[in-house]
């Protein structure tokens, strides 16, 4: 009945959108007042639940294993709750191109010449209405197993986020299980023209697609469909806007660009009246997954899709599922405001500003912590919409030799990310165990990232997984300490009124100017009602160093405290340090290399 209702409402919305001005779409529902910070845990089910340890480069699913929906069991979900998680982002759920044979289940065999790695990219969608068969214990019941995972997650008080990939699809896209009345992408396209507002794809008439020169997706291994050819005439434009029939191996050649009514080659001119067919098809897909009771979408490369589409579609989905979240992967800070105010996104990636700044402070000794205040000033007014992280599937692991080289060295960056704003914080599975992403997995190669293209086991995460007990039983004492630190930090970030709803005040500049500490130390205040927190992080790589911290008199006043009185502050992160703040607002502290403190002022 729920799906019938969703489609009836969607049909009504479609009539409204096609016969009346677009401003008549439902207004976007505002986010509810925060009662806690969103704490997001990203995982790939294919990697997360895999217990096999062979890790053969370019290994098959049989050799290297794969996690299943069922592996994310009650023990895992309980562990997420204990860690402080509120939302779980299940990455790679929707069916994408893979090099495992499922033809006996009626799923066509993919062409190895346009698939990256054996396991394929989770962002080369093969069927928007199906789930990845790799993740099912019983392939014939794969959607049911996903629905059971959603229900299981909800029973543990957690919310479900999945990917929505709107910009591109796999070259061999075809839906085998689309609902009745839904037409496949490209089914009615005019392939004789490069661009038409009513087409779903862009075409290169008179040209045939050519596999990139020298492309070796499986190393020295073979596959039945691996022959250096892929039949596509006329060639479609690649997912990253490359108008060539012969893209390079470093392009997104395994995907094709979707057409939202933007004529890219003619100055990106917009053709949005009438509503482009792609808009309607994408809305139907979002409604379908909303009907599966997911609680949010992480929208891949959202800025490559016109903001007008988001302004049109997000209010419609929210009208059906109030409170459903939309998170934009976006890298252009100049577009942030538009994708929040016009596009109606709840949260945006803050990779280019805060992540890049914190990474630089962690790896480059000549950088200044004053850059953090500059980021905050630039984001003023939209800070609470920014999603912070120091790891995700695109970025190098913090513990890898390409980044911090040691999970402890990344703690100051993690603490700042988790505490500086009201907005959400995300961690990537294995981060809390110090996973360094060692080894060349196959297509991914050794680059400090955990592969998204290969079948693989994630060793340090597997120690925490402990054969499905998810109790950290195989972690070293140091790893257990790291896990406890993440648990304390994330629970504090999610439940502290000062952190999820309080004011922010930087005191770094005043202390550096006064000569109290150098430009490798950062300090700021977060406060709400009776809770006042002082967060101090040190990015010094050398020996422990003495510092003086002074809270300016005006800061005491803003926090509702008497600047002429002395106070006690206790560290809530390590629970080992207590300091006395004198009547001038000062106290002394010895800062270990790459250390962090969250002091509660009383």
């Amino acid at each position: 009945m729920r799906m019938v209702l969703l489609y009836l409402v969607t049909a009504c919305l479609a009539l409204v959108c096609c016969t009346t001005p677009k401003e008549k779409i439902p207004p976007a529902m505002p986010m509810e007042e925060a009662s806690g910070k969103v704490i997001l845990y990203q995982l790939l089910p294919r990697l997360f639940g895999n217990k096999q340890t062979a890790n053969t480069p370019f290994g098959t699913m049989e050799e290297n294993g794969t996690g299943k929906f069922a592996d994310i069991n009650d023990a895992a979900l309980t562990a997420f709750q204990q860690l402080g998680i509120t939302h779980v982002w299940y990455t790679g759920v929707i069916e994408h191109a893979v090099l495992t044979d499922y033809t006996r289940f009626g799923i066509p065999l993919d062409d190895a010449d346009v698939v990256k790695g054996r396991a394929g990219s989770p962002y080369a969608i093969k069927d928007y209405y199906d789930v990845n068969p790799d993740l099912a214990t019983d392939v014939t019941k794969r959607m049911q197993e996903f629905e059971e995972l959603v229900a299981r997650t909800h029973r543990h008080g957690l919310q479900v986020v999945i990917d929505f990939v709107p910009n591109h699809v796999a070259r061999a896209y075809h839906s085998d299980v689309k609902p009745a009345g839904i037409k496949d992408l490209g089914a009615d396209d005019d392939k004789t023209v490069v661009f038409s507002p009513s087409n779903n794809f862009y075409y290169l008439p008179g040209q045939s697609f050519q596999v990139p020169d020298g492309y070796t997706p499986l190393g020295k291994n073979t596959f039945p469909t691996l022959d250096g050819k892929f039949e596509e005439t006329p060639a479609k434009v690649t997912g990253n806007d490359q108008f060539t029939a012969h893209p390079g191996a470093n392009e997104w050649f395994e995907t094709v660009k979707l057409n939202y009514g933007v004529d890219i080659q003619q100055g990106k001119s917009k053709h949005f009246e009438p509503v482009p067919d792609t808009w309607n098809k994408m809305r139907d897909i979002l409604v379908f997954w909303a009907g599966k009771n997911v609680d949010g979408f992480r929208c891949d490369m959202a800025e490559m899709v016109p903001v007008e589409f988001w302004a049109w579609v997000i209010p419609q989905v929210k009208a059906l599922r109030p409170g459903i979240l939309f998170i934009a992967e976006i890298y252009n800070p100049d577009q942030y405001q538009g994708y929040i105010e016009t596009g109606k996104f709840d949260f945006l990636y803050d990779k280019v500003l805060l992540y890049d700044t914190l990474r630089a402070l962690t790896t480059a000794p000549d950088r200044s912590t004053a850059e953090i205040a500059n980021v905050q000033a630039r984001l003023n007014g939209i800070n609470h919409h920014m999603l912070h992280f120091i790891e995700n599937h695109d970025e190098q692991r913090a513990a890898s030799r390409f980044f911090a080289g040691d999970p402890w060295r990344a703690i100051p960056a993690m603490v700042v990310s988790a505490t500086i704003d009201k907005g959400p914080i995300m961690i990537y599975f294995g981060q809390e165990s110090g996973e360094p992403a060692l080894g060349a997995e196959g297509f991914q190669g050794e680059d400090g990232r955990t592969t998204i293209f290969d079948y693989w086991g994630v060793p340090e995460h597997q120690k925490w997984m402990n054969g499905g007990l998810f109790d950290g039983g195989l972690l070293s004492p140091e790893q257990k300490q790291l896990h406890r630190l993440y648990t304390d930090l994330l629970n504090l970030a999610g439940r502290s009124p000062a952190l999820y709803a309080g004011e922010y005040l930087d005191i770094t500049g005043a202390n550096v100017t006064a000569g109290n500490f150098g430009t490798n130390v950062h300090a700021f205040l977060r406060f709400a009602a009776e809770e006042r927190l002082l967060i101090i992080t040190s990015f010094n790589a050398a020996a422990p160093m003495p510092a003086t911290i002074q809270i300016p008199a005006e800061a005491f006043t803003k926090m509702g405290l008497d600047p002429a009185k002395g106070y006690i502050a206790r560290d809530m992160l390590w629970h080992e340090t207590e300091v006395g703040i004198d009547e001038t607002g000062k106290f002394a502290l010895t800062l270990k290399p790459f250390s962090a403190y969250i002091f509660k002022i009383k």
Side-chain angles (χ1 to χ4, degrees):
M1 279 299 295
R2 181 177 182 85
M3 282 305 299
V4 171
L5 177 61
L6 283 169
Y7 278 108
L8 283 174
V9 175
T10 304
C12 293
L13 286 171
L15 284 173
V16 170
C17 294
C18 292
T19 60
T20 62
K22 289 200 293 289
E23 61 266 21
K24 295 295 184 181
I25 61 178
M29 302 296 290
M31 284 189 296
E32 296 179 3
E33 284 296 314
S35 58
K37 185 190 287 278
V38 170
I39 312 293
L40 181 61
Y41 189 94
Q42 183 194 5
L43 65 89
L44 278 76
R46 169 162 47 79
L47 300 176
F48 180 85
N50 186 16
K51 303 178 185 69
Q52 294 193 38
T53 59
N55 284 356
T56 302
F58 293 105
T60 64
M61 187 174 71
E62 290 72 23
E63 290 173 312
N64 284 351
T66 185
K68 307 289 186 180
F69 291 133
D71 291 317
I72 307 166
N73 57 23
D74 289 310
L77 294 164
T78 297
F80 294 159
Q81 290 175 290
Q82 294 169 345
L83 188 58
I85 303 304
T86 63
H87 294 65
V88 186
W89 167 16
Y90 295 120
T91 304
V93 165
I94 299 178
E95 185 183 3
H96 60 271
V98 299
L99 297 186
T100 295
D101 189 347
Y102 291 105
T103 53
R104 66 189 182 279
F105 301 104
I107 300 173
L109 193 63
D110 285 299
D111 192 310
D113 295 290
V114 287
V115 177
K116 290 182 176 177
R118 280 201 185 271
S121 168
Y123 298 98
I125 299 299
K126 178 179 178 177
D127 186 345
Y128 277 119
Y129 290 100
D130 207 349
V131 298
N132 181 3
D134 281 352
L135 307 180
T137 303
D138 180 345
V139 175
T140 65
K141 297 180 179 178
R142 57 192 181 277
M143 184 62 78
Q144 178 184 329
E145 291 187 23
F146 171 69
E147 292 168 346
E148 290 169 352
L149 172 62
V150 172
R152 191 162 60 247
T153 305
H154 287 161
R155 284 198 300 272
H156 285 266
L158 302 168
Q159 296 199 37
V160 172
V161 175
I162 66 168
D163 290 285
F164 173 54
V165 187
N167 177 68
H168 49 267
V169 295
R171 286 206 175 263
Y173 182 88
H174 173 70
S175 179
D176 305 309
V177 296
K178 59 185 178 294
I182 297 290
K183 284 192 174 183
D184 236 348
L185 289 163
D188 295 328
D189 280 7
D190 177 0
K191 300 179 182 181
T192 66
V193 295
V194 175
F195 168 80
S196 167
S198 59
N199 279 356
N200 298 138
F201 298 115
Y202 300 87
Y203 296 93
L204 300 173
Q207 301 182 59
S208 296
F209 175 79
Q210 298 178 58
V211 174
D213 295 333
Y215 179 55
T216 54
L218 299 178
K220 296 180 180 180
N221 297 282
T222 61
F223 194 75
T225 58
L226 183 63
D227 60 4
K229 301 173 184 178
F230 178 73
E231 177 55 40
E232 182 184 271
T233 304
K236 298 185 182 81
V237 172
T238 63
N240 59 333
D241 300 355
Q242 298 300 304
F243 281 73
T244 174
H246 193 186
N250 293 324
E251 307 295 347
W252 303 357
F253 69 87
E254 81 281 17
T255 67
V256 289
K257 174 80 172 181
L258 284 169
N259 170 12
Y260 283 81
V262 178
D263 192 346
I264 296 172
Q265 291 187 307
Q266 299 299 319
K268 296 187 177 181
S269 60
K270 299 175 179 179
H271 304 264
F272 299 158
E273 294 282 1
V275 171
D277 183 66
T278 301
W279 290 28
N280 289 314
K281 283 185 166 65
M282 293 296 108
R283 181 199 53 213
D284 291 344
I285 291 161
L286 286 166
V287 168
F288 173 83
W289 289 103
K292 298 295 182 184
N293 288 325
V294 304
D295 305 292
F297 298 100
R298 178 267 189 190
C299 299
D300 185 69
M301 297 307 298
E303 66 187 305
M304 295 184 75
V305 172
V307 70
E308 291 88 349
F309 165 74
W310 299 114
W312 176 85
V313 78
I314 289 177
Q316 295 185 62
V317 180
K318 284 180 177 280
L320 296 176
R321 283 290 308 280
I324 197 166
L325 291 179
F326 280 82
I327 302 169
E329 180 192 19
I330 185 169
Y331 298 104
N332 182 357
D334 292 336
Q335 297 292 327
Y336 286 1
Q337 199 91 26
Y339 276 74
I340 294 168
E341 294 181 358
T342 302
K344 309 302 181 185
F345 274 97
D346 298 299
F347 302 120
L348 313 181
Y349 267 39
D350 189 22
K351 190 270 181 191
V352 171
L353 294 179
L354 189 64
Y355 169 89
D356 283 352
T357 298
L358 292 172
R359 177 169 177 142
L361 284 166
T362 304
T363 58
D366 59 334
R367 299 295 286 264
S368 169
T369 54
E371 296 176 52
I372 298 174
N374 295 338
V375 167
Q376 290 300 95
R378 183 168 181 182
L379 294 173
N380 186 40
I382 61 170
N383 306 70
H384 58 293
H385 289 283
M386 306 314 297
L387 169 70
H388 299 313
F389 53 82
I390 60 168
E391 284 192 16
N392 64 41
H393 69 276
D394 284 318
E395 309 305 333
Q396 291 168 321
R397 290 282 191 176
S400 77
R401 63 184 176 87
F402 300 92
F403 188 169
D406 181 332
W408 296 102
R409 189 179 174 118
I411 291 301
M414 182 62 202
V415 168
V416 172
S417 296
T419 62
I420 199 166
D421 286 326
K422 301 173 186 177
I425 178 69
M426 177 173 73
I427 69 168
Y428 189 38
F429 83 103
Q431 179 179 338
E432 71 277 27
S433 301
E435 172 59 41
L438 297 175
E441 302 102 329
F443 179 83
Q444 182 89 38
E446 186 163 9
D447 60 0
R449 297 173 177 85
T450 295
T451 180
I452 65 170
F453 303 105
D454 307 283
Y455 296 111
W456 201 253
V458 184
E460 303 312 311
H461 163 72
Q462 288 176 326
K463 293 177 182 178
W464 175 70
M465 181 168 53
N466 192 19
L469 297 176
F470 295 97
D471 61 359
L474 301 178
L475 294 175
S476 69
E478 186 176 1
Q479 286 176 308
K480 290 179 180 178
Q481 185 182 22
L482 181 69
H483 195 280
R484 282 194 297 271
L485 179 65
Y486 269 90
T487 299
D488 289 347
L489 174 61
L490 295 177
N491 276 280
L492 179 63
R495 299 173 184 176
S496 161
L499 297 180
Y500 70 71
E503 299 300 313
Y504 158 83
L505 183 63
D506 181 84
I507 62 170
T508 303
N511 278 275
V512 171
T513 299
N516 293 331
F517 54 69
T519 57
N520 55 4
V521 177
H522 187 253
F524 62 94
L525 296 159
R526 294 294 311 279
F527 50 95
E530 299 302 309
E531 186 174 59
R532 298 132 180 136
L533 303 180
L534 168 62
I535 294 91
I536 301 170
T537 49
S538 172
F539 293 87
N540 64 305
M545 65 182 189
T548 299
I549 314 295
Q550 183 171 23
I551 302 174
E554 58 270 25
F556 278 105
T557 302
K558 288 182 179 178
M559 291 189 293
L561 299 176
D562 185 346
K565 288 186 176 180
Y567 295 91
I568 297 294
R570 296 185 178 90
D571 177 44
M572 302 176 70
L573 198 56
W574 298 99
H575 310 286
E576 295 176 349
T577 304
E578 179 176 295
V579 298
I581 304 172
D582 66 21
E583 292 79 2
T584 68
K586 291 183 178 180
F587 66 93
L589 189 66
T590 298
L591 297 171
K592 297 177 182 178
F594 293 100
S595 56
Y597 298 89
I598 302 176
F599 287 107
K600 187 171 185 176
I601 301 171
K602 292 188 176 181

